[in-house]
Amino acid sequence: MLKGIAGAAGLAATPALIAACSSSGGGGAKKGSTGSGDITFGSNYSDPSTKGAFATLTQQATSATSVKINVNTVDHNTFQNNITSYLQGTPDSLCTWFAGYRMQYFAAQGLLAQIDDVWDKIGSNFNDATKSLSKGLDGHYYFVPIYNYPWVVFYNKSTFSSKGYSVPTTWDQFTALAQQMKKDGLIPIAFADKDLWPALGTFDILNLRINGYDFHMQLMQNKAQYTDPKVTEVFKHWAEILPYCQSGANGRIWQDAAKALENKQAGMMFQGSNQVAANYSAANLADLDFFPYPAINPDFGQDYMDAPADGFIMPNKGKNGGSAKKVLEYIGTGPAEVAYLKTDKWDVGLAQNIDTSGYNAIQKKSAQAIAACKNVAQFGDRDTDPAMAAALEALIQKFIDDPSDSNISSIQKSAADQAKTIFG
Amino acid sequence: MTAVAAARTSERDATGRAGGRRRGRGLSSALAQLFMIAACVLWILPIGFALYVALRPYSETSKYGYVAMPHHITLSNFQQAWTQSNMLRFFENSVLITVPAVIITLVLASFVAFVVSRFSFRFNIALLIMFTAGNLLPQQVIITPLYRLYLQVHLPHFLSESGLLYNSLTGLVVINVSFQLGFCVFVLSNFMKTLPAEIYEAALVDGASVWSRYWRLTLPLCRPALAALATLLTTWIYNDFFWAITLIQTGNKRPITAALANLQGQFVANQNLIAAAALMAAIPTLVVYVLLQKQFIAGLSLGSTKG
Amino acid sequence: MTLGVDVRSSDREEAQRRRPRRKRGRRLLSRRDKVVLTLMLGIPVLIDLAFIWFPALGSIVLSFTRWNGIGGLHLGKTCQPPPAPSVLQNGCFYGVQNYHQAATVYPQFWPAVQHNLIWLAVFICFATPLGMLFAVIIDRGIRGSRIYQSVLFLPVMLSLALIGIVWEFMYSQNLGLINTVIGRNGNSNAIDWLGNPHLNLWAVLVEATWRQAGYVMVLYLAGLKAVDPSLREAATIDGANAWQMFWRVIFPVLKPINIVILVVTVIESLRAFDLVYITNHGSNGLELLSVLVTNNIVGEISRIGFGSALGVVLLVISIVPISIFLYQTFRREEPR
């Protein structure tokens, strides 16, 4: 390989430097280090609340396994941006990551340690759906989940009861409700997309409702085309409700949209419970409730939703893998999830035998809503190639600015063209 | 040229601005005053407003908005931002990066400038071009291979906890030095060219070595330029954002400017805290500026009037 | 007497003085001196080559590959058109495909070029003249000029990341100073300064100008201070007013510093990054080449080859002002 570079590029000066780090075999089924001793844990739980929950988890893990854990916290966005360099550089023994293609992509390139032996011990704690989302494309395990959370429509109970609104279950009821809210001087749907990813949730749910889970996953994995008329339907439905969404979404952070809901200026908001509920003050949390996104296509009803699972991976280049696996074995248990969820009141555990007595109303309902689904997707940016997700995110901002038919078709065409260069 | 002229300027200042410089009179002067006052108000406004937000409690601004008469003025945001974010640590990192980087850059740049401006050999201009152009390249153009390079260079533990140039303060010092060298070589070599040749002739007669010509003669004469460059370099390196976010992976090894993005993620719901943290992060550069303001303009020789 | 004449004659004198000194200088170099000289020059040169120029060349090579930053490069292998799984199509030679895709398929590319040009135009037509105006007024020594200088220079000391944060408070839709003052902070009538793609570039350019003007002011002040005072005297005696004095006497003398400032302006506008990155990562109306490069190669996206190609485009555009600058700067020294 090195010869190839030197020959083709004529770069006499140490070509190894550019091509360095050829540790990957592409196969993936590589074992991480097995050393024991203290471990470091890379964390993107940077918000004060989740930081606290994570601290509880690591403390419990230390007392259960007597492995000392040093936490290295990096803010959520930076952590995500740096993941490729992070995994190839000097990663921690363990780190936080997401289930889905986002994990499989790195596992397939040999950057993650295979942890089948961990799953031998914890496997009985989880159902098949959880098992399959913890596996790489090669069928081996690379991930241990800690919680998941649903993407649903949030509202304030007091608003609905005082105005006599009822929860919509169909598209017509939903649009009629939005219309009524507008008449009543509310922003029907609080909406923000400055961070680029939040609106992807709306794309996902509309696609899941209109075209079903299988088509959605095909689209995410480039087995279906963005120019498909089915995708046009998604954007057309979206254009229908866009007038009821908070304007200026591209310049607003989702936290401010959640504030509009909390202050009762807005009637509803479609977002992850992990975000909306976490952003609510304790005093208002009792008023918060949600319903699953209304059905559009009767073939699929309300069968699917985005319910992303967060958890942990073991980078191949991390140190003291033996200790790290012990910690993972602890994390993959009901008590560990309970320890984490002691302070995190907006996510729900995945272990089958988890003690749910500490759950609040939102958590109880979340667990039911997820369990009621025939299948859950992870999230637009976790189910597809990151470059494609970024391309789609940018196009969706363009759509929010101009939801006209002509713009929709040019967006679809651009998405298809970019998919060709990204996957091709 | 500029050095000499700068010296002249300060003489002139001392004698009460004699010569061609007159205070503006009448209408044009009033207009100028008006214009400058308006500009200064506009210039101070954003910073002042951020300060105002930082001084008010979150509960109040979320209720009345940022633009409202203050009910309470408090320093608690500053205190909270300081304690919650471990800011001292980030400041420490910034100092550990900035101070060595500025010193090393100035030493190396003065080496090159001295050789290039005092000795003639074939590659003089090529060297100057190489250094100057290197500083003008966009940072993004070199980051990928640089990153790979950083993963390959192993360092002893006392220079880098990670054992690599990557993810180490040493690595940030190295790239800041390399990147800023060009500008400093350019300024210093221009400055040195303006130094009178006579002093070197005298030194040669005395048989002074190259090193003592550099150390005893040239450097002391370059003090104004070095002071100006030190100020500029301090702000540039301290304010660097790109290298720090790309070459440092461990959260608490980041310098303060890059850590701000981190804090922004952390305090996202409480903008008042972000304002307080941001303003605190600015304090060191402001101190440097106040201390070195005078030398700054006088010493900033771009070798300019000599063309 | 003009400064120009002054400079030229002194140059000649200096040249005459230098010639004999040089010869002697070379003769007198001892062995130790030579070692010292080699080290003084060698270390910085090596550092500059290793950490700046080598990576720059590396990026050019990478721009002809398809690579996700994981694993090694196989430049001898050409990426095969029939789509294999993208994981396998990695590290291979891609020809000019990246450039082709950037220009034809990547929707952010042309807006980014356009925004970089607008950025440049605003800097040249507005920020730079404003900074020069500040400098000229301050240089006339009007009352309070020290204070003015300090205030106007203040933003230059702040990092661009911090400026982005500070200005959020001005621009925030529902809570910001501007919208509140003009009464457009409601939920339906708010002006989305940083999100609306027709506005946000201009909003960010205000921030950038706010900083750039101070920077130019200082560079220009340094130049103005160096203008021979006798020039002004002569012009005053000839009855020139302030306007004429500046344009006819001072501005021409400052040609070299004007070039420095022009180049600083061009480079700063091509390099613009932090402000936009902190505002919205360069999306929807704020696309700039530098941010696109960053998003593609240091973000999660990891299209290293593609991002490098965008970087090379940026490099090529920067080469023009760099060359003009270097040519102007070192032209005089070449005949030696």
Side-chain angles (χ1 to χ4, degrees), chain B residues 9 33 120 141 148 293 304 307, chain C residues 26 59 69 148 150 225 256 332:
Chain B
T9 315
Q33 285 287 353
S120 168
V141 171
R148 295 272 144 181
Q293 192 188 4
S304 44
Chain C
R26 201 169 283 164
S59 278
Y148 296 147
S150 303
K225 296 250 190 228
R332 296 192 143 267

Side-chain angles (χ1 to χ4, degrees), chain A residues 229-242:
Chain A
K230 289 179 167 179
V231 179
T232 317
E233 276 309 300
V234 170
F235 282 111
K236 287 224 160 126
H237 276 79
W238 198 346
E240 216 178 299
I241 53 164
L242 210 49

Side-chain angles (χ1 to χ4, degrees), chain C residues 118-135:
Chain C
I118 293 177
W119 201 285
L120 181 63
V122 169
F123 269 23
I124 288 183
C125 301
F126 196 70
T128 300
L130 188 64
M132 286 163 73
L133 184 59
F134 288 156

Side-chain angles (χ1 to χ4, degrees), chain B:
Chain B
M1 273 295 111
T2 327
V4 183
R8 257 188 252 139
T9 315
S10 52
E11 266 165 44
R12 220 183 322 135
D13 286 343
T15 55
R17 296 179 177 276
R21 203 170 299 207
R22 297 169 305 158
R23 284 191 191 281
R25 283 189 215 106
L27 185 65
S28 74
S29 166
L31 274 178
Q33 285 287 353
L34 208 64
F35 173 73
M36 292 308 270
I37 290 172
C40 284
V41 168
L42 282 178
W43 251 244
I44 210 86
L45 187 68
I47 301 173
F49 187 59
L51 182 64
Y52 182 60
V53 172
L55 283 171
R56 295 167 60 207
Y58 173 68
S59 56
E60 191 185 314
T61 48
S62 65
K63 199 164 166 193
Y64 304 107
Y66 298 141
V67 194
M69 289 311 282
H71 295 244
H72 301 282
I73 289 291
T74 169
L75 288 175
S76 70
N77 287 322
F78 289 92
Q79 196 192 354
Q80 214 183 330
W82 179 266
T83 50
Q84 277 190 15
S85 66
N86 203 3
M87 256 179 130
L88 186 63
R89 178 70 195 257
F90 299 130
F91 272 121
E92 224 176 86
N93 294 339
S94 282
V95 172
L96 288 176
I97 293 162
T98 311
V99 173
V102 170
I103 293 172
I104 297 171
T105 311
L106 289 179
V107 168
L108 294 180
S110 65
F111 281 177
V112 178
F114 172 71
V115 177
V116 170
S117 63
R118 286 293 142 200
F119 297 87
S120 168
F121 66 106
R122 220 177 313 155
F123 305 109
N124 257 349
I125 293 178
L127 276 175
L128 274 176
I129 289 178
M130 181 188 93
F131 277 105
T132 316
N135 180 245
L136 297 174
L137 295 178
Q139 291 164 299
Q140 287 81 6
V141 171
I142 55 180
I143 186 62
T144 314
L146 187 72
Y147 162 72
R148 295 272 144 181
L149 182 66
Y150 266 46
L151 282 178
Q152 290 299 301
V153 179
H154 291 265
L155 291 178
H157 190 76
F158 71 96
L159 282 174
S160 155
E161 274 175 51
S162 64
L164 295 172
L165 212 43
Y166 174 70
N167 197 22
S168 72
L169 298 183
T170 314
L172 276 197
V173 171
V174 168
I175 186 59
N176 275 308
V177 167
S178 321
F179 198 66
Q180 301 297 352
L181 257 183
F183 181 78
C184 295
V185 166
F186 174 66
V187 171
L188 282 173
S189 69
N190 277 320
F191 196 94
M192 288 182 191
K193 274 178 207 154
T194 67
L195 297 177
E198 291 81 0
I199 51 169
Y200 288 93
E201 317 236 318
L204 273 178
V205 173
D206 293 348
S209 70
V210 166
W211 179 254
S212 72
R213 271 182 272 165
Y214 163 77
W215 183 250
R216 299 236 181 94
L217 269 179
T218 312
L219 270 198
L221 288 171
C222 287
R223 220 176 275 154
L226 290 172
L229 283 177
T231 320
L232 274 180
L233 282 180
T234 306
T235 53
W236 284 339
I237 295 175
Y238 180 88
N239 286 338
D240 160 67
F241 180 66
F242 185 76
W243 301 128
I245 60 169
T246 48
L247 295 174
I248 292 280
Q249 167 257 314
T250 307
N252 60 15
K253 276 192 203 159
R254 295 222 164 132
I256 183 79
T257 309
L260 265 183
N262 210 329
L263 297 185
Q264 231 191 341
Q266 213 176 104
F267 298 150
V268 73
N270 188 337
Q271 297 285 324
N272 306 47
L273 276 187
I274 294 176
L279 290 172
M280 279 195 284
I283 291 173
T285 42
L286 297 183
V287 171
V288 170
Y289 174 50
V290 170
L291 290 180
L292 294 176
Q293 192 188 4
K294 251 190 136 174
Q295 281 96 323
F296 183 65
I297 291 191
L300 189 69
S301 159
L302 297 166
S304 44
T305 39
K306 181 179 181 226

Side-chain angles (χ1 to χ4, degrees), chain A residues 1 81 88 102 109 397, chain C residues 66 68-69 73 284 298 300:
Chain A
M1 174 206 68
N81 273 328
Q88 295 185 81
R102 270 236 170 122
Q109 304 188 68
Q397 283 201 335
Chain C
R66 180 188 170 94
N68 66 7
L73 282 172
N284 202 37
V298 299
E300 206 189 339

Side-chain angles (χ1 to χ4, degrees), chain C residues 23-336:
Chain C
K23 275 187 194 143
R24 247 185 295 145
R26 201 169 283 164
R27 225 178 25 238
L28 287 177
L29 284 181
S30 70
R31 224 186 128 87
R32 186 167 161 271
D33 282 346
K34 280 182 188 154
V35 172
V36 169
L37 279 177
T38 312
L39 285 178
M40 285 175 99
L41 206 52
I43 296 172
V45 166
L46 278 181
I47 290 180
D48 201 53
L49 285 178
F51 293 104
I52 305 292
W53 289 105
F54 174 66
L57 285 178
S59 278
I60 297 176
V61 174
L62 286 176
S63 74
F64 296 104
T65 67
R66 180 188 170 94
W67 190 38
N68 66 7
I70 301 173
L73 282 172
H74 322 269
L75 284 182
K77 227 171 76 185
T78 306
C79 304
Q80 293 306 315
S86 63
V87 172
L88 301 178
Q89 290 277 331
N90 194 23
C92 44
F93 181 72
Y94 210 28
V96 293
Q97 274 302 307
N98 290 320
Y99 295 92
H100 181 72
Q101 287 173 7
T104 55
V105 176
Y106 193 52
Q108 282 97 327
F109 180 73
W110 290 112
V113 171
Q114 190 195 349
H115 296 154
N116 269 109
L117 289 177
I118 293 177
W119 201 285
L120 181 63
V122 169
F123 269 23
I124 288 183
C125 301
F126 196 70
T128 300
L130 188 64
M132 286 163 73
L133 184 59
F134 288 156
V136 170
I137 294 177
I138 285 171
D139 190 59
R140 283 176 66 200
I142 63 169
R143 199 176 302 146
S145 46
R146 292 254 334 244
I147 298 170
Y148 296 147
Q149 184 188 319
S150 303
V151 170
L152 295 174
F153 190 63
L154 193 62
V156 186
M157 306 302 287
L158 307 178
S159 72
L160 283 158
L162 195 146
I163 289 173
I165 293 173
V166 164
W167 276 84
E168 293 265 339
F169 296 106
M170 304 291 287
Y171 285 131
S172 163
Q173 267 186 91
N174 303 112
L175 302 167
L177 182 67
I178 296 175
N179 276 358
T180 313
V181 167
I182 63 175
R184 294 287 297 271
N185 61 337
N187 277 318
S188 51
N189 68 349
I191 302 177
D192 185 7
W193 291 104
L194 295 175
N196 183 330
H198 304 293
L199 287 176
N200 54 10
L201 183 65
W202 304 104
V204 171
L205 275 169
V206 169
E207 301 174 22
T209 301
W210 182 68
R211 181 175 191 270
Q212 184 70 7
Y215 188 25
V216 169
M217 176 190 78
V218 164
L219 293 179
Y220 216 64
L221 266 179
L224 283 171
K225 296 250 190 228
V227 172
D228 192 326
S230 57
L231 268 181
R232 295 169 195 267
E233 273 167 52
T236 317
I237 292 166
D238 292 348
N241 63 25
W243 180 258
Q244 290 168 326
M245 170 124 81
F246 179 74
W247 285 113
R248 301 220 183 126
V249 183
I250 298 175
F251 190 79
V253 172
L254 288 178
K255 185 180 161 220
I257 195 137
N258 289 334
I259 291 171
V260 171
I261 286 175
L262 184 70
V263 171
V264 165
T265 303
V266 174
I267 294 292
E268 288 284 316
S269 41
L270 291 176
R271 274 215 290 232
F273 169 76
D274 311 32
L275 267 185
V276 156
Y277 191 78
I278 210 106
T279 303
N280 72 355
H281 285 245
S283 66
N284 202 37
L286 286 183
E287 294 86 356
L288 289 178
L289 283 173
S290 61
V291 191
L292 297 187
V293 178
T294 310
N295 285 347
N296 275 291
I297 64 183
V298 299
E300 206 189 339
I301 297 173
S302 273
R303 292 175 81 189
I304 306 287
F306 185 69
S308 298
L310 296 173
V312 171
V313 172
L314 189 58
L315 179 68
V316 169
I317 303 176
S318 333
I319 287 291
V320 176
I322 292 175
S323 316
I324 295 174
F325 176 54
L326 294 175
Y327 175 73
Q328 288 287 348
T329 310
F330 300 114
R331 187 179 47 170
R332 296 192 143 267
E333 309 182 20
E334 248 154 89
R336 257 194 227 156

